[in-house]
Amino acid sequence: MAPGEQGRADDERGVGSDEGAQPRLPLPLKAAETTPDRPWPVRHLAPKIADYVQRMPPVWIEGQVLDLKRWNSMCFLTLRDTDVDMSIAVTTSAANVARLGKGVGDGAHLVVHARPTYHLKRGSLAFAADEVRLVGLGELLERIEHLRRVLGSEGLFDESRKRRLPFLPAVVGLVCAQQGDAEHDVVSNARARWPAVRFEIRRVTVQGPRAVPEVSSAIAELDAHPQVEVIVVARGGGSFEDLLPFSNEALVRAAAACRTPLVSAIGHHLDAPLLDLVADLRASTPTDAAKRIVPDVAEERARISQARLRSRAALVQRLQREQTALDHWRSRPVLAQPSTLVDAHEARVTALRDGARRTLAHLLDRASTEVRGLAGHVRALSPAATLERGYAVVQRADGAVVRDPGQVAPGDPLRVRVAHGELAAQVTDA
């Protein structure tokens, strides 16, 4: 019987205690039955875990190599996921790794066929690989192309999503390597063009397994910074394998979710990483990025001077043109002597007024003569003229004119109207 199996059998029977001591109770059969008073010892639990792990079938696993070490005829490595911070330990024979050639090292992509193993003494889980395959360049390109189509169908590369860079950002966020020329190229060239620009720099790992989470975290941190107006992700080129993190789906989606305008300055001319497609602007190099994010103060001053000269020349030309037109209009007779337009009309109005006055005076004289003639006729025909000759008009008290003596009776009062007044009378005899 194996030592582990012997220990489990002894534990289940409750043996193994010192002679003369009170025998132990049987161990719980299931983990749910364990209690503080009846726990499982490590020697009982560890074999159970090992038995469970040994029943698992072998599996094909893909990941990125980290911490590859060789010892005698064995190789020990960590296989790390490129999207999230997860890894597993893998052991394989040095011969399996040697068959892959010299391209195997930290950062390489492998596919391994491994079976999980559980080490009783250390209590650790590892995978023993019996077959190791190197993910080739063609396969990586095919995967990147497939990812490009998927992300493109989601609209992450559409031009409508891209935002314009601010003309003069006060603060620029920079994601770059901890050591390298990219930071110097961006900062020195930008400050040479616009000395007042300030930088928020996040130095991260730009290749290898830690590149994706560190770059993604730096982008998110700068995007949340209230003063950062544009973000530059810079790297000074590199091999295709070195630039694989910048085609990683998690990193590309992190860049797409960034609300601050993003500039990709990876500096790879042959193959554009997917980050170039999702960025709001692709710069060919970090130096080119510096030229694209801030204007050149000397060029801007020259443009202002040129614009000022052009504006002054245009204004002088406009004034001269307007002065020429004004002089032309002022030289015309109608403007040289404005009364010319109304002199003729004034003379005509005066003549018409004088004619009207003469006509009116003539008409008034003739009408006056006619009135005097008519007045003479009226006076001649008027009863007053008859009274002037000594006649009188006799009226009764009711005003009726007496034309016949029979119209009155003795004692009736009468009124006698003469030329210059009236007389009162009374009928004495009819």
Side-chain angles (χ1 to χ4, degrees), residues 335-409:
L335 293 180
Q337 189 175 0
S339 60
T340 303
L341 291 174
V342 297
D343 287 345
H345 297 287
E346 181 184 10
R348 183 181 179 188
V349 170
T350 302
L352 291 174
R353 182 193 63 188
D354 294 342
R357 286 178 177 177
R358 289 192 298 269
T359 302
L360 181 61
H362 175 70
L363 292 175
L364 290 175
D365 291 342
R366 187 173 63 182
S368 178
T369 301
E370 291 178 356
V371 168
R372 286 194 296 271
L374 291 174
H377 289 294
V378 170
R379 283 194 298 271
L381 297 176
S382 172
T386 302
L387 294 179
E388 288 286 341
R389 295 196 297 271
Y391 291 93
V393 178
V394 180
Q395 295 176 309
R396 294 187 304 186
D398 57 1
V401 176
V402 178
R403 293 181 175 86
D404 188 277
Q407 293 179 334
V408 296

Side-chain angles (χ1 to χ4, degrees), residues 68 70 75 77 92-101 104 132:
L68 175 62
R70 291 177 175 84
C75 283
L77 59 95
T92 187
S93 65
N96 288 335
V97 176
R99 280 194 294 268
L100 302 179
V104 180
V132 180

Side-chain angles (χ1 to χ4, degrees), residues 59-64 79-82 88 109-112 135 139-140 143:
V59 60
W60 287 98
I61 312 168
E62 179 188 355
Q64 192 174 31
L79 208 57
R80 188 183 186 281
D81 194 283
T82 57
I88 59 173
H109 285 255
L110 296 181
V111 175
V112 301
V135 179
E139 186 175 354
L140 289 176
R143 292 182 184 181

Side-chain angles (χ1 to χ4, degrees), residues 190-206:
R191 286 179 175 166
R193 293 170 61 85
W194 196 269
V197 67
R198 294 185 291 116
F199 282 89
E200 280 289 332
I201 302 176
R202 299 295 181 269
R203 299 176 180 88
V204 297
T205 302
V206 293

Side-chain angles (χ1 to χ4, degrees), residues 100-300:
L100 302 179
K102 297 181 179 180
V104 180
D106 288 355
H109 285 255
L110 296 181
V111 175
V112 301
H113 185 259
R115 179 183 296 274
T117 60
Y118 182 77
H119 298 278
L120 292 176
K121 292 184 178 181
R122 297 192 302 271
S124 61
L125 179 68
F127 284 79
D130 55 9
E131 187 175 351
V132 180
R133 296 181 182 179
L134 183 65
V135 179
L137 179 60
E139 186 175 354
L140 289 176
L141 288 173
E142 183 179 353
R143 292 182 184 181
I144 292 175
E145 179 62 23
H146 174 72
L147 179 59
R148 186 190 66 81
R149 291 194 297 267
V150 172
L151 298 180
S153 64
E154 297 180 12
L156 266 64
F157 305 147
D158 293 349
E159 290 295 327
S160 59
R161 295 186 66 259
K162 299 186 183 300
R163 291 149 296 191
R164 295 184 61 181
L165 303 186
F167 171 70
L168 187 59
V171 179
V172 176
L174 176 60
V175 181
C176 59
Q178 297 177 359
Q179 294 179 350
D181 297 332
E183 177 182 348
H184 176 268
D185 292 343
V186 174
V187 175
S188 60
N189 284 280
R191 286 179 175 166
R193 293 170 61 85
W194 196 269
V197 67
R198 294 185 291 116
F199 282 89
E200 280 289 332
I201 302 176
R202 299 295 181 269
R203 299 176 180 88
V204 297
T205 302
V206 293
Q207 71 181 58
R210 292 191 297 271
V212 172
E214 291 187 14
V215 174
S216 301
S217 177
I219 292 176
E221 182 179 348
L222 291 174
D223 186 33
H225 198 292
Q227 296 181 341
V228 173
E229 300 179 45
V230 62
I231 299 174
V232 179
V233 180
R235 175 192 164 91
S239 64
F240 175 79
E241 291 78 5
D242 293 340
L243 301 182
L244 283 177
F246 297 98
S247 294
N248 183 275
E249 181 178 2
L251 177 57
V252 173
R253 291 190 180 277
C258 181
R259 295 168 297 178
T260 306
L262 183 72
V263 178
S264 174
I266 306 306
H268 197 267
H269 300 282
L270 300 179
D271 300 297
L274 297 184
L275 181 63
D276 287 350
L277 303 180
V278 78
D280 298 295
L281 177 68
R282 177 186 181 272
S284 58
T285 61
T287 301
D288 181 49
K291 296 179 180 179
R292 306 288 288 274
I293 60 176
V294 293
D296 190 338
V297 62
E299 293 179 0
E300 295 304 318

